[in-house]
Amino acid sequence: ISSHLGKKPKILVSRDLGPNVMPLLTQRGDIEVVLWTQNSACDRKWLLDNVKGATGIVVMITDLVDTELLDAAGPDLKVVSTMSVGYEHINVPELGKRHIRIGYTPDVLTDAVADIAVMLALMAGRNANGTMGIVRDGLWPRTIWAPFALCGPQLSTFGSLSSTRTIGFLGFGRISQATLARLVPFGITDCIYVSNPSSSSSKKERNRIRDQNLLEQYQPQLKSLRAVDKDALARESDVLFVLTPGGPSTKHLVNEQFLQKMKKHSVLINVGRGSVVDAMALAKALDKGWIFGAGVDVLEGEPNIERDHPLVHTKCNILPHIGSATFETRLAMATLAVDNCLAGVAGGTMPTELDT
Ligand code: DGY
């Protein structure tokens, strides 16, 4: 990396990326590294004070990259690299206008998030939250075994149960497809989806070809894979996965009207972005029995979810945004975030650059 007017390019890193990844930055002699060292989300004031003159920044989903931060950084800023696949915290159009490149971390977290999507689907269908509560609260001795007590809708189906399961996806990108791949061995035969609402018509054509390939890949089990409208998605899904990016175009796509259309024995899983599902409507849907269960790894308003949040008092299985939290995946994400940043600072090809 070449220096500018005799000065080493400055890279600001908003969280300590650990002993395996930080040396990729700190052991180089050709850059200046400025690091938020505390074990907490980077303080906004510290970020604004220290970003001045930075050529690259490595940020987390907890850091807002807005005009205020860009102005504070000044004209040297060439690249913002986020250790996430989501980029709702970044004002993408503004960075585009300023010709600042964006690095993000797709692909490396696909498997970890698909794993947790399946885990939540199983937990929601078998009411893991509610039934584990029986044990936690010491109520097991008084919970009488009964033929139909504590039952839930089964995820797997192999024909022997004379029923099929339709799996629905709101958003059908990489993670949805990886989730579907995990469910085919459960005997799933039917899959429907609504594409990302912002998909262009050329993307729709690419999707048609992709669907054909997916069907061929998972045959003979998977019999049908169809793009549907939102209404059909709500009405037909037995298990519905929300896996679409956040932002204004997807806000509250799953609202009261949507939930009221769903099957009584269906379950809703959100591992995408909290803002896509109206949390109050979901709490109501569970209380009123419009759907059987739910599992969410993301929730609007996170991380400020207190114990008195209405959804916390339902049977919803709630995880604190741990979809990508495996040792292997977080290491890969941190490494990729650093590689993107270094490549951007050097003006080279970034391994995974966001197309803006
Ligand atoms: C992402 O990368 O966007 C995840 O939601 C955070 O792990």
Side-chain angles (χ1 to χ4, degrees):
I1 291 174
S2 59
S3 49
H4 176 59
L5 304 174
K7 256 183 28 203
K8 290 179 187 173
K10 168 166 148 183
I11 295 183
L12 181 137
V13 186
S14 76
R15 262 332 257 271
D16 189 336
L17 302 174
N20 292 313
V21 181
M22 282 313 295
L24 300 176
L25 293 163
T26 51
Q27 284 183 0
R28 296 178 67 110
D30 55 354
I31 51 173
E32 178 200 348
V33 180
V34 176
L35 171 68
W36 168 256
T37 50
Q38 293 186 38
N39 190 18
S40 59
C42 182
D43 178 73
R44 178 74 180 174
K45 186 173 176 316
W46 181 91
L47 189 59
L48 292 171
D49 288 348
N50 285 274
V51 77
K52 190 173 167 23
T55 308
I57 336 179
V58 179
V59 294
M60 311 293 126
I61 53 171
T62 40
D63 305 308
L64 197 61
V65 182
D66 55 4
T67 46
E68 183 188 31
L69 185 70
L70 301 178
D71 289 345
D76 288 345
L77 188 62
K78 282 191 189 169
V79 57
V80 171
S81 173
T82 182
M83 184 183 150
S84 63
V85 68
Y87 41 84
E88 292 80 13
H89 52 299
I90 300 176
N91 184 339
V92 176
E94 188 58 35
L95 269 76
K97 261 195 252 158
R98 298 182 190 214
H99 305 291
I100 298 168
R101 298 166 76 188
I102 302 172
Y104 71 138
T105 61
D107 302 322
V108 290
L109 49 64
T110 298
D111 284 319
V113 181
D115 286 353
I116 222 155
V118 175
M119 180 182 104
L120 280 172
L122 287 163
M123 289 175 78
R126 306 301 284 275
N127 190 13
N129 181 22
T131 52
M132 286 160 89
I134 292 175
V135 183
R136 228 178 3 246
D137 298 342
L139 299 173
W140 199 357
R142 278 178 279 143
T143 307
I144 315 280
W145 189 94
F148 294 102
L150 307 180
C151 288
Q154 186 164 319
L155 179 61
S156 63
T157 171
F158 295 97
S160 55
L161 297 173
S162 70
S163 60
T164 55
R165 295 276 173 272
T166 299
I167 301 296
F169 290 98
L170 182 57
F172 199 53
R174 289 173 289 249
I175 301 173
S176 294
Q177 289 160 49
T179 304
L180 175 62
R182 283 158 174 72
L183 293 178
V184 170
F186 279 69
I188 300 304
T189 52
D190 296 290
C191 173
I192 54 178
Y193 69 86
V194 169
S195 286
N196 181 346
S198 56
S199 287
S200 59
S201 55
S202 63
K203 181 115 190 263
K204 291 206 172 85
E205 175 52 18
R206 284 206 302 276
N207 286 351
R208 200 187 56 74
I209 299 166
R210 172 206 64 194
D211 290 355
Q212 196 52 42
N213 292 339
L214 276 176
L215 261 179
E216 276 164 24
Q217 187 179 350
Y218 297 122
Q219 260 167 5
Q221 288 102 314
L222 193 61
K223 298 206 164 56
S224 117
L225 176 60
R226 290 178 290 134
V228 294
D229 61 21
K230 241 182 79 192
D231 197 64
L233 187 76
R235 289 185 198 287
E236 293 178 33
S237 299
D238 291 297
V239 181
L240 175 52
F241 292 95
V242 177
L243 264 161
T244 192
S249 66
T250 57
K251 187 169 164 67
H252 287 186
L253 277 180
V254 177
N255 54 18
E256 214 170 298
Q257 290 94 303
F258 185 100
L259 289 158
Q260 266 173 317
K261 289 178 195 154
M262 290 182 71
K263 296 180 188 176
K264 253 179 127 40
H265 275 177
S266 63
V267 300
L268 180 91
I269 308 302
N270 187 5
V271 280
R273 279 294 179 261
S275 58
V276 185
V277 176
D278 178 343
M280 297 306 143
L282 180 57
K284 190 166 170 186
L286 290 165
D287 282 340
K288 293 204 176 288
W290 296 341
I291 61 174
F292 178 84
V296 302
D297 183 43
V298 288
L299 195 50
E300 58 177 343
E302 66 174 72
N304 301 316
I305 307 297
E306 305 289 345
R307 260 185 292 195
D308 59 358
H309 188 287
L311 201 60
V312 174
H313 294 279
T314 67
K315 71 205 289 207
C316 188
N317 296 271
I318 306 176
L319 298 175
H321 204 149
I322 57 160
S324 64
T326 65
F327 300 122
E328 298 81 356
T329 292
R330 286 288 168 84
L331 184 60
M333 289 168 72
T335 307
L336 186 52
V338 167
D339 288 347
N340 276 330
C341 188
L342 288 171
V345 167
T349 307
M350 290 159 60
T352 46
E353 179 169 2
L354 185 72
D355 206 1
T356 55

